[in-house]
Amino acid sequence: MNDSAARSMPMSGDGPERTERTDRTDRPNQLNRPDRPDRRDQPRHRPRRRTVPRRTVVATLAAAAGATALGACSVPAPPRRTTPTADPAPGMPIASSRRAQLMQILAHPDDDLYFMNPDTQRMLDAGVPLVCVYVTAGEHDGKNHIPGNWDVPADKDAYSSARHQGLRQAYATLLGLDRFTDWTKGVATLRRDHQAEINTLTNGHRRVELIFLNLPMHTTRRYMAIPSLWQDRALGLHTVVAKDSPLRRTVPYDYDELVDVLVGLMERYRPTVIQTLDPDPDIQHSDEATRKKDSEQRGYSDHADHTAVASFSWAAMVRWVAEATEDGGRVPGFVATAFRGYYNRHWPKNLPARVLQEKAAHLVPYGGDPSWECGNPSGCGDYNVGGVRPLTNKKGWVRSTHHRYPGDRPVVATEPDGRLAAYGVLGLRAVRWRETEPGGGEWGDPQDLGGGPLAPALGSAALKDGRQLVFGLRFAAIGGHGGPNRREVVLLEQRAPGGGFLAWYGLGNPERDDDRGRRIGVPVAVAAPDGRVHLFVRNADKGVSTRVRNTDGRWDRWRDLGGDEIQDGLTTVVDGAGRVHVFGAGRDTVHHWAQDVLGEDVAFKPDAGSGLPAPGGPLAALPTDDGGIELYYRKPTAAGVIAVRAGGAPARPRKERFDGYGPLRAAAAPNGPALLGKDLGGRVQLRVDGRVVTRAQGTEPLDSPALFIGRSGATAIGMGADAHPWIWSPQAGTAG
């Protein structure tokens, strides 16, 4: 989101018109020095933190205790604070804990229910404690519209309170309790002497905490308050005090204070999983009437508050890691997941009926009803989204759950001695886990490979000599305060098979403009039989860009392959003739890029997807014995999997017995293709040797496990809610 988008946004997306919810370079660069066997004796750059005196924020406060200050003010801009930055050099110690803790950071009350479920629900059901941090008060215009009566008085403090009550009702039901169960209310003391309301509810070993920072959505001078706070060094805000809150006074915030408060909460709770919204939403050009109807910021497919709060959240994660590792401290052991927001409006829906009904059911107690007796005089929920409206709203936000950075977590390779190696992102840094012994199913401690801050998913490819290439999407700069926001693709190349690595190497960005460069996707790569490595990313135009590593190790320039618009989550495969193929999920069909002849450039095949059914999300692909490629995917809203032939006129899709939802993985196995995914209850399931088995124990899985075929047969390797990898090999009896 650029500054003009934030400043000119006339709609909040949380207003009465809605009925569901309201709300470069081509020249490579080195990121660090080559890795060292032991870096403790080497001098390490430690970012210096410069203390900036807290500036005076002039605002008009109501004289009565508990009154809400709605104004914002600008003062002469102070020098930009020198923010702690990530050290990309490898070799840092990593904090380890098997205690799972989920933290999610939201812009508005209900963002979690719309965009993060069913992932959140699955972890709660598994007993993972949850803390939700809501940055804004969600007060919008203060009108809690009752269906059939749109002429209601504005009361921002009351509307904020009603939305808080709706969250309490929703999470009580998520914990298996009556929606009107009493919560413990209190005041949490945060960094810089800030305070926030905290609500706590437990049911046996399960626990939910709701923390309301309650910054305003709008002010008298800046309609979009949080986006302006992200951009403007000279802006200060005062919080809203919701009615029926234990808080009695407003609190001032500036940019650094909000980042520090989020860092302090991370340090206090030590989450192993952090869930945020999308910091870099897709470019979306809509006419003004459509944009307002869709409640989106100008030029991008999301609410401006979502983007700003996600940016604050990622800046806070970077600062948390930087602070924790000063003076030789340990990297916090957490994984991050970002979720798409209003993006869901523009793409095929990906939740089958059973999962959708379960997700939407938890929005019913959030929306509430004015006839309910919930004990909150300000209202029993957000009536704007009550009843069946989450399912009937044409925007369809509830009907999908999309990750911003899709891909295997972790990526898996085989070491020369037969052990498995798993590469993932921990504490925003690349790490490698190794099996303690070949086929043992146990992982050793993570080895820090540096390179951060990185997006959650990595790409990988293996060279002919067995050396691994690991690719990441790096937050080269994530600075509000009018500072730069840059993303770049980076590479980690192994020195020798199974050994150490060269220095991180910057591969730039296919987009030369920083703002467009933020929109690129997760890098994926594949090694061709001719020794070249093909790297692909979804670009800002929603097509595919590529860069190729030649046999001498040199990379050519970025090229735009064009093609029709696709979702992120590219699939690469090499066919029996050695030709490289890339597939992406379009709106109406599958889109295909490929080589005609081994060694030629990959190009878009405009007719290759003709006749293929529309996919609901990323695909899995396998080469066939006759030189073709078979694709496996789910159609929109479907639970079942189909298999279709890629390229040319496909045969009639074949139905596969593998109902579920979410991404699929496929691999060639001795007795036919193996499939990996999640069942309708969110459990990992594997189809191998013609039968479907379900992972029934072990830590709660995150995102997309990887599928590996080895000596133990079909093996699933994934990340758990405790930020540790797991292995599940049904044929070998490894439970995970």
Side-chain angles (χ1 to χ4, degrees):
M1 178 184 62
N2 57 32
D3 191 55
S4 61
R7 294 174 187 272
S8 60
M9 173 71 182
M11 297 291 296
S12 76
D14 223 16
E17 81 285 355
R18 54 158 174 102
T19 57
E20 179 163 329
R21 83 175 286 280
T22 342
D23 287 79
R24 112 178 77 155
T25 177
D26 291 330
R27 183 169 55 193
N29 62 287
Q30 297 277 353
L31 293 185
N32 66 2
R33 300 181 301 277
D35 60 337
R36 284 89 65 195
D38 189 344
R39 65 193 299 277
R40 290 174 294 180
D41 298 328
Q42 301 290 335
R44 188 180 94 219
H45 167 70
R46 296 191 182 99
R48 294 166 53 192
R49 301 186 60 195
R50 179 163 54 88
T51 302
V52 177
R54 185 182 303 175
R55 58 183 176 274
T56 303
V57 181
V58 181
T60 302
L61 297 178
T68 302
L70 302 178
C73 62
S74 294
V75 296
R80 188 178 296 120
R81 174 179 173 180
T82 302
T83 303
T85 56
D87 181 351
M92 290 187 182
I94 301 174
S96 179
S97 170
R98 299 311 294 262
R99 176 197 58 83
Q101 171 70 61
L102 171 61
M103 172 180 283
Q104 49 193 29
I105 305 174
L106 303 314
H108 312 119
D110 78 1
D111 287 342
D112 37 359
L113 304 176
Y114 272 99
F115 306 121
M116 296 180 178
N117 265 344
D119 291 38
T120 300
Q121 180 187 349
R122 303 303 183 218
M123 280 188 270
L124 271 178
D125 290 346
V128 178
L130 167 65
V131 56
C132 306
V133 182
Y134 301 94
V135 173
T136 79
E139 82 289 358
H140 184 48
D141 62 1
K143 295 184 177 182
N144 196 3
H145 294 278
I146 299 172
N149 178 18
W150 297 103
D151 187 21
V152 298
D155 189 333
K156 295 187 176 184
D157 301 354
Y159 185 33
S160 178
S161 176
R163 296 186 77 172
H164 295 176
Q165 176 62 27
L167 285 172
R168 290 190 288 268
Q169 293 163 179
Y171 275 105
T173 61
L174 277 162
L175 286 176
L177 299 170
D178 183 82
R179 62 183 176 228
F180 299 138
T181 300
D182 288 335
W183 291 62
T184 300
K185 291 185 178 182
V187 175
T189 301
L190 312 176
R191 278 192 178 183
R192 300 206 188 192
D193 298 324
H194 285 75
Q195 292 185 329
E197 179 180 346
I198 180 171
N199 298 172
T200 305
L201 184 64
T202 60
N203 183 18
H205 64 286
R206 295 189 294 166
R207 178 184 182 91
V208 175
E209 295 172 81
L210 312 177
I211 297 176
F212 302 110
L213 302 186
N214 261 35
L215 275 72
M217 290 179 62
H218 314 295
T219 73
T220 53
R221 296 190 61 182
R222 302 290 178 90
Y223 189 76
M224 300 302 296
I226 303 299
S228 297
L229 189 67
W230 173 254
Q231 293 286 345
D232 193 345
R233 284 183 286 138
L235 183 68
L237 300 174
H238 274 78
T239 57
V240 173
V241 177
K243 288 187 177 177
D244 199 38
S245 171
L247 289 171
R248 293 293 180 265
R249 62 182 177 84
T250 63
V251 180
Y253 272 91
D254 63 16
Y255 170 97
D256 280 316
E257 287 172 319
L258 179 53
V259 175
D260 272 350
V261 161
L262 294 176
V263 172
L265 288 168
M266 294 172 188
E267 181 63 27
R268 176 181 300 180
Y269 284 92
R270 307 291 298 182
T272 51
V273 181
I274 299 178
Q275 295 186 165
T276 79
L277 298 168
D278 183 356
D280 299 323
D282 279 358
I283 293 171
Q284 178 66 40
H285 297 297
S286 303
D287 63 80
E288 194 66 4
T290 302
R291 184 189 69 77
K292 290 181 178 180
K293 183 179 179 181
D294 288 346
S295 311
E296 295 183 340
Q297 59 192 299
R298 280 194 177 97
Y300 303 98
S301 61
D302 211 349
H303 193 295
D305 283 355
H306 296 172
T307 307
V309 168
S311 297
F312 273 114
S313 302
W314 281 83
M317 285 189 280
V318 172
R319 186 178 290 184
W320 182 31
V321 174
E323 288 186 2
T325 54
E326 286 182 331
D327 301 321
R330 293 181 175 272
V331 176
F334 70 94
V335 296
T337 302
F339 291 82
R340 297 282 195 179
Y342 291 179
Y343 172 101
N344 295 355
R345 165 76 173 86
H346 302 281
W347 293 92
K349 312 311 174 197
N350 66 1
L351 295 182
R354 174 179 152 184
V355 181
L356 172 61
Q357 292 289 341
E358 186 180 23
K359 178 180 177 180
H362 296 297
L363 276 155
V364 173
Y366 167 76
D369 190 282
S371 66
W372 289 359
E373 296 182 1
C374 63
N376 183 29
S378 297
C380 296
D382 184 353
Y383 304 147
N384 289 291
V385 299
V388 298
R389 277 170 289 169
L391 286 174
T392 60
N393 187 278
K394 294 181 179 179
K395 297 174 185 177
W397 294 321
V398 73
R399 295 179 176 272
S400 295
T401 300
H402 287 287
H403 294 147
R404 172 61 175 88
Y405 308 106
D408 286 349
R409 290 223 276 182
V411 295
V412 181
T414 304
E415 299 279 272
D417 62 2
R419 292 182 298 166
L420 293 181
Y423 296 88
V425 178
L426 196 61
L428 306 184
R429 302 166 64 82
V431 298
R432 174 174 61 178
W433 292 272
R434 287 164 156 161
E435 274 190 304
T436 55
E437 60 182 37
E442 297 290 337
W443 296 108
D445 293 333
Q447 174 193 0
D448 175 50
L449 303 178
L454 298 171
L458 300 173
S460 69
L463 300 177
K464 281 188 172 182
D465 62 6
R467 289 182 296 135
Q468 292 295 319
L469 303 181
V470 178
F471 301 88
L473 176 59
R474 186 172 189 265
F475 288 77
I478 180 164
H481 265 189
N485 270 284
R486 291 191 301 272
R487 311 291 180 261
E488 68 174 328
V489 178
V490 293
L491 163 67
L492 189 63
E493 180 175 336
Q494 205 166 31
R495 292 177 182 273
F501 294 85
L502 301 173
W504 282 92
Y505 189 72
L507 292 172
N509 190 308
E511 307 289 346
R512 293 183 177 274
D513 173 79
D514 282 352
D515 189 68
R516 286 176 57 85
R518 292 173 58 184
R519 319 301 155 186
I520 68 171
V522 174
V524 298
V526 63
D530 62 5
R532 298 197 301 166
V533 175
H534 296 256
L535 172 66
F536 303 97
V537 297
R538 181 186 189 241
N539 58 38
D541 291 326
K542 309 179 186 75
V544 175
S545 291
T546 186
R547 199 168 181 183
V548 178
R549 183 186 190 271
N550 295 309
T551 55
D552 62 0
R554 295 179 180 271
W555 289 87
D556 67 7
R557 62 179 180 84
W558 283 104
R559 289 188 300 112
D560 186 346
L561 298 181
D564 292 323
E565 293 186 344
I566 56 169
Q567 298 192 64
D568 202 12
L570 302 177
T571 301
T572 60
V573 66
V574 176
D575 67 17
R579 295 170 299 186
V580 172
H581 297 255
V582 183
F583 297 93
R587 290 185 173 86
D588 303 311
T589 188
V590 176
H591 296 303
H592 186 189
W593 293 258
Q595 294 173 313
D596 289 325
V597 178
L598 175 63
E600 290 188 352
D601 290 339
V602 172
F604 180 55
K605 306 299 178 185
D607 300 323
S610 176
L612 293 179
L619 314 93
L622 283 179
T624 58
D625 293 338
D626 61 1
I629 294 175
E630 197 161 53
L631 303 175
Y632 300 84
Y633 60 92
R634 294 186 176 93
K635 293 187 287 186
T637 74
V641 174
I642 61 170
V644 297
R645 182 87 170 191
R652 184 176 180 179
R654 183 178 73 250
K655 293 183 179 180
E656 301 288 324
R657 186 172 61 88
F658 200 65
D659 285 2
Y661 73 98
L664 291 170
R665 298 292 179 261
N671 298 319
L675 294 178
L676 178 70
K678 290 186 178 181
D679 68 12
L680 292 171
R683 298 178 302 174
V684 175
Q685 61 177 349
L686 177 65
R687 195 192 74 177
V688 61
D689 296 339
R691 64 190 183 98
V692 176
V693 289
T694 303
R695 180 175 178 262
Q697 58 183 336
T699 57
E700 181 66 13
L702 301 176
D703 297 357
S704 306
L707 176 58
F708 179 81
I709 306 296
R711 291 181 299 182
S712 299
T715 299
I717 300 97
M719 290 296 296
D722 58 357
H724 281 259
W726 48 264
I727 299 179
W728 177 48
S729 299
Q731 294 163 310
T734 302

